[in-house]
Each structure stands twice: as C-alpha cells, then as structure tokens.
Amino acid sequence: MAEAPTALRLDEAGLRAARSDLDEGAVTPAYGPWRDDILKLLNGALATELICVLRYRRHHFMATGLESPSIAEEFLVHANAELGHADRLAQRIVQLGGEPDFNPVGLPGRSHADYDEVNDLKAMIKSNLIAERVAVETYRQMIGLVGDKDSTTRRLLEDILADEEEHADELKDWMARA
C-alpha cells in the first residue's frame, strides 16, 4: 500500500526569520551560506560579459572584407546584448547585498572568456564563437550550481544562457559566410 504524500507546508521558522534583519532587503536567511558563493559566480560572469563587450566592440570597428559591413554591425548588436547582460548581473549582485566588480585591473583574470586583437574577419568570428561557447558552458554550470539555492538568480542565468546560445548559433552561421 502506497504511503500518503505529505502535505505541502511553508517553513514557519523561515517565515519568522524573514521578519528580522530588514536591512538585508530581499535577502532572507534562507540564502544562508550560499550568498557569498553566488556573488563570486555572478562577479565572474560579470567580468566575462565585460570582456565580451570589449572584444565585440573592437571587432566591430576592425572588421574588414566583403562580408564585413553586415557582420561588423552584428558584432555591435552582440556587444550591446553583452552589456545588457552585464547590467543585469550587476543589478542582481547589488540585490544580493554584494558589490559588482567593474575594476578593470585584473578583469581578464576574472573572466572566463578571452580578449583578443585578431584582425582577420574569420578569426574574429571564430574568437567570438569560442567565447560564446565558453559562456554557454559557464552559464550551464552556474545554473547547476545555483539550482534551488536562489531561484531568481537561476532564472536570470537561464535567460542569459538562451541569448548566448542564440549568439553562438549566429556565429556558426557567419563562419560559413566569411
């Protein structure tokens, strides 16, 4: 005979705890020991997005060749999308009581993606495709790590991941055109 499922009930202790430490805003005690780890992950993602903005913008201005005008404009579109991701990550870091790390010193070391100074259009596309694939993998891993520890951050990461996957698919298509 199957056991009856237990009723879904809210954690009353958690609700009581939410009534204290009001200066923490939305960050309740349930975030517990994971908040610092999540902030570190988010700052790493922020650094990655900033490096991608810089790389895409450089490629936008340096792209030359028959297909370069349309691809250069797409590099700018991607740069702006990455900047939007950076802004959303920074906003979430602040919501969690952290400080977004925009310090340019050490930025490449905090980033998961590389910055490069290639000048060949096909090499630019390849470099950006590699960076997008690294971003896809990074966000997939972060989503797994965050799991149910912070559903708001997880949804943010999932949303950014969808954009990064779209960017990677576009770059793959451009590789054939360049």
Side-chain angles (χ1 to χ4, degrees):
M1 181 178 219
E3 290 184 36
T6 58
L8 297 176
R9 291 198 176 106
L10 295 176
D11 174 13
E12 291 299 323
L15 294 175
R16 282 191 300 279
R19 290 178 171 86
S20 63
D21 297 320
L22 299 181
D23 59 324
E24 294 288 328
V27 181
T28 64
Y31 282 87
W34 305 113
R35 182 167 75 171
D36 289 343
D37 291 337
I38 290 171
L39 288 170
K40 185 174 180 181
L41 290 171
L42 290 173
N43 264 311
L46 175 61
T48 301
E49 295 292 349
L50 293 172
I51 288 291
C52 289
V53 169
L54 296 172
R55 187 187 57 259
Y56 270 124
R57 289 190 74 81
R58 181 185 191 285
H59 291 172
H60 165 73
F61 289 107
M62 295 300 296
T64 59
L66 187 59
E67 292 290 332
S68 66
S70 62
I71 292 176
E73 286 308 308
E74 287 299 317
F75 285 159
L76 184 58
V77 168
H78 284 214
N80 291 334
E82 304 299 351
L83 183 57
H85 296 162
D87 289 346
R88 293 176 69 196
L89 291 163
Q91 182 179 31
R92 184 63 185 152
I93 290 166
V94 170
Q95 287 172 341
L96 290 172
E99 295 183 11
D101 189 352
F102 283 97
N103 189 338
V105 175
L107 184 62
R110 295 190 312 271
S111 172
H112 305 290
D114 296 324
Y115 179 83
D116 69 51
E117 296 182 353
V118 297
N119 289 320
D120 172 72
L121 185 61
K122 193 161 191 133
M124 290 177 187
I125 295 169
K126 181 179 178 183
S127 171
N128 288 312
L129 178 55
I130 290 168
E132 293 292 356
R133 288 174 51 86
V134 167
V136 165
E137 182 59 23
T138 299
Y139 284 114
R140 283 188 193 286
Q141 288 185 26
M142 288 175 65
I143 290 164
L145 291 169
V146 170
D148 62 356
K149 296 169 189 72
D150 179 352
S151 57
T152 303
T153 297
R154 184 188 69 241
R155 285 191 308 273
L156 169 63
L157 298 173
E158 289 169 344
D159 191 42
I160 294 173
L161 171 61
D163 288 347
E164 303 296 10
E165 288 174 338
E166 183 178 318
H167 293 171
D169 284 342
E170 288 174 356
L171 288 160
K172 176 189 64 90
D173 293 341
W174 300 349
M175 286 285 288
R177 293 182 10 206

